[in-house]
Each structure stands twice: as structure tokens, then as C-alpha cells.
Amino acid sequence: MEISRATRSVQKEDVWQAADALLLEGKRPTIERVRQKIGRGSPNTVSPMLEGWFATLGPRLGGAGGPSPSGATSDALGSGLPAALVLAMQQVWEQVQAQAAQAADAELEPARQDLQAQQKALEDAQQALEQERNHLAQQRATTEQALAVAHAQIKMQGARLSDLEQAGRQKDQLAASQQQRLQALEQELFANRKARDEADLAHAEQLRELQHSAQQQQHRVLQDLDRARQETKQAMAAQRSEQEKHARLDAQWQQERHTLQAQNEQQAGQLQHAQAEVQQLQHRLQTAEAAHTQALALQSHQHESALAQLRLELAQSAAAQNAGRGGDATPPADAVAGNGRRPMRSSAPTARPVRMLPGSRRRGKI
């Protein structure tokens, strides 16, 4: 800022005085010498002032007019100046003009180079901007494609979750059907037990028929129990197959989830939410399977207990029959006949079964 103020403060009188001093010292006034003499000023400021000094040099030396490029020598000779001085002054003037032009070119060269550098930088910036625009366009296309793939995969995950939920509902329906079958078997066993109790109340003379009927009933019950066991085994096998299928689906889902996380980190929140839903569904399925397995085990144990109790009661009935054969009362033949319904036991007390001694064999078919 100080140099700029010094440059603006240079006046024409300062330049002319410096040029006169240089000429009196026998030196050629140039732009650089004038600037050194003054101690300030830029070439652009000093150059026109120095040209004005040269333009007035002829009249100040005693000429009639200012020097010109064509008539400067004749005018100087007409004024009575020595020819050598006139030639020297003309050479000085030409050199000053050349130096002024060079100085102007030198002054403008940095600006020209700066302008060229700015133009090149602008072209480079435009090229970089175009490359960046192309890169952003490619990146945008890649991002949109990745988003489309992510949306498709999320939709597939939703479909898989729907399939798993439907499988869970089917499994619940199967468990409910098994429960109804078991309840039907329990009702049938209850009816059989009631029929056995009614048969125990029948007269001793109909024990043979009761035994035969009980054996048939036992055979049917055993068949029903075997059928129930087979159905239970089939249901458990289907349940294990369904569990293996769920395990495979879960493993496949886990692998696809990891792949989706690696490719689409932006969709991590949605995938985690889907994983939480799958885990909840698996937990509900495991809970239902555990409850179903426990119920099946309990019902199977109850059926086996009922069957063991039925066998025991049949054995007791057979023992009572054998004990009744030793008495005198023989039922008439028409008392046994009927329409298929078991007669009620009479009010007479039934003979107590005979206690067998160790080593003896009980007669009669059980």
C-alpha cells in the first residue's frame, strides 16, 4: 500500500527534473534511471511523463517546435545545434521509445501470463467439473440400481416371512387337529371305562359274555391306541421335518441377510427389523412345538395308564368270574340272551376273588 501511494504521488515536474539532471550529468534519461533518480514511481507512470519531457526538449533547447520522427534532425540543425548533439538526442529519443515499449510489454507480460494461467485453470476446472458431473451421473445410476436391488430383496424377505407365518399357522392347525383327536380318544376311553363299570355290575352268570365283550373292547381300544400312537408318531415325524425345513429356511435366510448387509449397508435397519420378526416367529414356533410335544407326551402317558388300569380291571373281573364258577348258582340260559345291551348287576354281592397261593396257577383265560 505504501508503494502504491508513492507511485500516485509522482508528478510530471519530478520526472522532468530527474531527466534534466540526468542529461546535465551526461547520462541518457531512461525510465529506470528516472525511477532510480526519483526513488519511486512505476514504469507505466514514468513512461508517459518522460515522453512528454522528450517532446518539449527541442523547444526548451531553443527550437521552434517539438521534435518529430521525420523532421527532428532538420529542425535541430535549423536551430543551430551541433549535428552530433542532435543525433545523440535522436538516438536517446528512439531508445527511450523502445525502452518504454519494452517496459510496457514487460509490465503487461505478467498480466498476460496470469490471464493465460487463469484461462487454463478455468479450462481445467471446466474439464474437472464435466468429469465430476459424469462421475456423479454414474454414481447416481449405480445408487439407483442398488436401491432397486435392495427394494427387491426386501420384498423377497417379506414374502419369506409371510411363508413362515403361513407355515406356523398350518402347524397350529395341525396341533389343534391332533388335540381334537386326542380328546376324542379320551372320550372313547371314558365311554369304554363306563361300559366296563356297567359290565362289572352285571350278574356273575354273564361274566363269560362280559369277558368276551371286554376282550373285543380291549382289542378295539388297543387298535385305537395303536392308531393314535401311529398318528402321533407321524405327527412328530412331520413336526421334525417341519423343524428341519424351518432350520434350512433359517440358515438360508441368515446367509441371504449377511449378503444383503454386505451389499446394502444403508438397509441394515430394515434387515435387522426383519430378523427380529423372524426370531420372534421362531420363538413362538418353538414355544408351540414344546407345548405340543408336552401335551402329546402327557396324553400318551394318560392313555397308557388307562390301558394298564383296564387290563388290571379285566384281570380282576376274570378272577371274580373264576371265583363265581365255584358257587352253586348257575344263571339260566335266557338271562344271557338280550338285544346287545349289557344287563345291570344285581343287588347280590359279587363273590370276592380267591387269593392264589404262591406257586399256583390261575385257571381261566385273561
Side-chain angles (χ1 to χ4, degrees):
M1 296 297 293
E2 294 178 356
I3 297 175
S4 298
R5 286 195 299 268
T7 303
R8 287 195 298 271
S9 64
V10 174
Q11 301 297 325
K12 181 177 66 173
E13 292 77 7
D14 299 331
V15 175
W16 286 20
Q17 291 178 3
D20 291 338
L22 289 171
L23 188 60
L24 293 174
E25 292 174 0
K27 298 179 181 179
R28 184 175 62 238
T30 62
I31 295 174
E32 291 298 325
R33 288 178 179 176
V34 169
R35 291 178 66 248
Q36 292 177 2
K37 193 71 173 178
I38 298 173
R40 62 185 183 277
S42 65
N44 292 333
T45 304
V46 174
S47 176
M49 295 180 181
L50 187 60
E51 289 179 0
W53 177 85
F54 275 106
T56 60
L57 181 60
R60 287 195 295 127
L61 292 178
S68 62
S70 59
T73 305
S74 60
D75 293 340
L77 292 175
S79 62
L81 294 177
L85 179 59
V86 173
L87 291 175
M89 290 175 62
Q90 186 176 1
Q91 292 176 359
V92 169
W93 170 256
E94 292 175 357
Q95 291 177 0
V96 168
Q97 292 291 332
Q99 288 179 359
Q102 292 177 0
D105 293 338
E107 186 72 17
L108 293 175
E109 185 65 23
R112 187 181 298 109
Q113 293 178 358
D114 189 14
L115 182 59
Q116 291 177 356
Q118 290 179 0
Q119 185 176 1
K120 187 176 183 304
L122 181 59
E123 293 176 355
D124 295 340
Q126 290 178 351
Q127 186 177 3
L129 181 60
E130 186 67 23
Q131 293 177 358
E132 184 68 19
R133 185 182 296 114
N134 295 333
H135 178 69
L136 288 176
Q138 294 177 359
Q139 187 176 5
R140 180 179 178 181
T142 304
T143 304
E144 290 178 353
Q145 184 177 2
L147 287 175
V149 173
H151 287 308
Q153 292 179 351
I154 290 172
K155 187 175 181 180
M156 292 174 61
Q157 292 295 333
R160 291 192 184 93
L161 287 176
S162 300
D163 294 340
L164 289 175
E165 290 177 355
Q166 185 177 3
R169 288 193 297 268
Q170 293 177 356
K171 193 168 185 180
D172 293 338
Q173 293 176 359
L174 180 61
S177 177
Q178 293 295 330
Q179 184 69 22
Q180 292 177 358
R181 282 179 174 271
L182 290 174
Q183 289 177 358
L185 289 175
E186 288 179 354
Q187 293 177 358
E188 188 176 357
L189 285 175
F190 180 75
N192 292 333
R193 189 181 297 111
K194 184 176 180 181
R196 179 186 52 77
D197 294 337
E198 293 177 355
D200 289 340
L201 298 175
H203 195 266
E205 293 178 355
Q206 297 187 4
L207 288 176
R208 183 179 299 176
E209 182 182 357
L210 178 63
Q211 180 180 5
H212 181 68
S213 300
Q215 288 178 353
Q216 291 180 354
Q217 187 69 24
Q218 180 183 4
H219 182 67
R220 286 198 306 272
V221 171
L222 289 175
Q223 287 181 350
D224 292 336
L225 287 175
D226 291 336
R227 185 169 59 255
R229 288 177 181 174
Q230 291 296 329
E231 291 176 354
T232 304
K233 289 181 181 178
Q234 291 177 0
M236 294 179 68
Q239 182 180 1
R240 286 194 297 269
S241 177
E242 191 69 21
Q243 289 177 351
E244 293 175 357
K245 181 179 178 181
H246 286 316
R248 290 194 301 271
L249 289 175
D250 185 51
Q252 183 179 1
W253 183 85
Q254 290 289 343
Q255 183 178 2
E256 292 178 356
R257 184 180 66 83
H258 288 305
T259 303
L260 184 60
Q261 284 180 347
Q263 295 178 354
N264 305 281
E265 295 180 356
Q266 296 179 355
Q267 304 296 330
Q270 297 178 0
L271 289 178
Q272 289 177 358
H273 180 67
Q275 184 181 6
E277 291 180 353
V278 171
Q279 290 179 354
Q280 291 177 1
L281 179 59
Q282 289 178 352
H283 180 69
R284 291 198 300 269
L285 290 177
Q286 291 176 358
T287 304
E289 289 172 359
H292 182 223
T293 304
Q294 185 177 4
L296 289 177
L298 179 60
Q299 292 172 2
S300 177
H301 179 69
Q302 291 177 354
H303 287 315
E304 290 177 357
S305 299
L307 181 61
Q309 185 177 1
L310 179 61
R311 289 177 178 174
L312 179 61
E313 290 174 356
L314 288 175
Q316 292 178 356
S317 299
Q321 180 183 3
N322 291 332
R325 287 179 181 178
D328 296 334
T330 301
D334 54 356
V336 181
N339 55 1
R341 298 179 61 187
R342 297 184 180 88
M344 300 297 293
R345 178 179 292 180
S346 62
S347 60
T350 305
R352 298 178 63 184
V354 179
R355 186 176 181 182
M356 303 300 294
L357 295 176
S360 63
R361 297 180 62 185
R362 179 177 297 176
R363 295 181 180 180
K365 185 177 180 181
I366 300 176

